[in-house]
Amino acid sequence: MLDALGMLAKSEYGNAGDLMGLDDVDSELLGYLNALDVVSRQRVLQKLNKKTVGSQGSRAEMEKFFAELPKTIKEGLLSGKLRLADTVVYTIKPINGAKTVKMMESQDVKEIGLRTLSQGRLPKNSALLVSGVILLQGVAASLATDDLKATAFNTIDNIGALASGEFTLKANKKNIVDSISNYVFKTNDFHNVTKGYYKLANPRLIHDDVDIEWEIDLGTVNGIDPNTVLFGGLHGTITIP
């Protein structure tokens, strides 16, 4: 710990080792704290030292990835310009007879009822910790946009061709999930789990400047209604203003 920060912590708040995680933070955070004026620095240290109930769920997972966040996002969270929020980044895509369905693509445009993101990327100055993945299916009245938005979704449990497929999720060409069976989305027998929800054992962080690639690969389309539509969601914690 830098001398100035250590002296301030000891003089104002007691033993620096008692501050929440300060002994383990990275050099960027220490540099940010030292660059603040004394009053602002005291406020940040007070927040760090405040005894609060521990975070839970995806928020707690997100906090473990603090060191991997871009410098601007770290500073935004510490200054209060950014905060953490629950989210489900979603996309709706018709199968339309294809064995490979690209759930997120560079030509996508954000639109309520269809998808959260444009161009398969997060909004600028945001980061998403993916805690779980959701996959549901439904049959639309037609493949017209308004009918896609009005689709009623349910699990893939009773659609054999969907359940026997696989999915891959990548960010910046790096695998988050690599060719896992869609069987994990069969949740009808699990009454304490959100429909079609698969919890990642290894949550992963996605930055705003990378492409998100999510593909559903099917071995067959036999038994799939021509108007079948997939709902995909990335559940987790995101940074917002």
Side-chain angles (χ1 to χ4, degrees):
M1 181 175 294
L2 297 177
D3 291 342
L5 180 58
M7 291 176 62
L8 175 64
K10 289 177 181 178
S11 63
E12 294 294 332
Y13 306 106
N15 190 337
D18 292 333
L19 296 175
M20 290 176 56
L22 274 184
D23 285 340
D24 300 321
V25 298
D26 57 35
S27 59
E28 285 186 354
L29 175 54
L30 292 178
Y32 169 77
L33 289 171
N34 279 316
L36 297 174
D37 60 78
V38 175
V39 174
S40 297
R41 191 183 309 151
Q42 288 175 341
R43 289 174 179 169
V44 172
L45 288 171
Q46 284 175 332
K47 289 181 180 179
L48 289 171
N49 197 40
K50 186 177 180 180
K51 303 302 181 183
T52 59
V53 176
S55 299
Q56 298 180 352
S58 65
R59 182 186 178 94
E61 293 171 340
M62 177 66 146
E63 291 173 356
K64 295 178 182 179
F65 283 80
F66 188 86
E68 295 185 23
L69 293 171
K71 180 180 179 181
T72 54
I73 293 181
K74 291 179 186 176
E75 293 179 354
L77 290 171
L78 288 169
S79 67
K81 293 180 180 179
L82 295 176
R83 59 190 177 90
L84 301 180
D86 296 335
T87 192
V88 174
V89 174
Y90 71 89
T91 175
I92 292 174
K93 288 291 178 76
I95 293 179
N96 204 19
K99 288 188 176 181
T100 296
V101 183
K102 296 184 178 182
M103 301 298 287
M104 294 184 176
E105 301 178 87
S106 59
Q107 66 266 31
D108 287 344
V109 177
K110 178 180 178 179
E111 184 173 347
I112 295 175
L114 280 184
R115 64 188 65 91
T116 310
L117 306 181
S118 290
Q119 300 178 326
R121 290 190 171 202
L122 297 172
K124 188 172 179 58
N125 292 325
S126 65
L128 169 68
L129 193 283
V130 181
S131 181
V133 183
I134 301 167
L135 184 67
L136 299 169
Q137 61 79 31
V139 178
S142 76
L143 298 185
T145 299
D146 282 350
D147 286 336
L148 295 180
K149 294 179 180 180
T151 304
F153 292 100
N154 210 326
T155 65
I156 67 170
D157 289 50
N158 298 321
I159 313 296
L162 290 179
S164 65
E166 299 180 350
F167 77 102
T168 302
L169 179 63
K170 299 180 180 180
N172 198 29
K173 305 297 182 182
K174 296 180 180 179
N175 288 331
I176 294 177
V177 176
D178 184 23
S179 298
I180 290 183
S181 171
N182 290 342
Y183 190 88
V184 298
F185 297 113
K186 294 182 65 173
T187 58
N188 280 358
D189 294 330
F190 301 96
H191 302 296
N192 60 339
V193 176
T194 300
K195 285 185 176 182
Y197 184 82
Y198 170 58
K199 176 68 178 73
L200 296 185
N202 299 293
R204 294 288 295 275
L205 188 67
I206 298 178
H207 295 179
D208 62 355
D209 58 349
V210 302
D211 294 325
I212 303 173
E213 301 173 75
W214 183 1
E215 292 188 357
I216 308 293
D217 293 310
L218 306 176
T220 179
V221 293
N222 287 355
I224 296 179
D225 189 285
N227 289 343
T228 296
V229 182
L230 297 179
F231 173 97
L234 302 180
H235 165 257
T237 296
I238 196 169
T239 56
I240 62 173

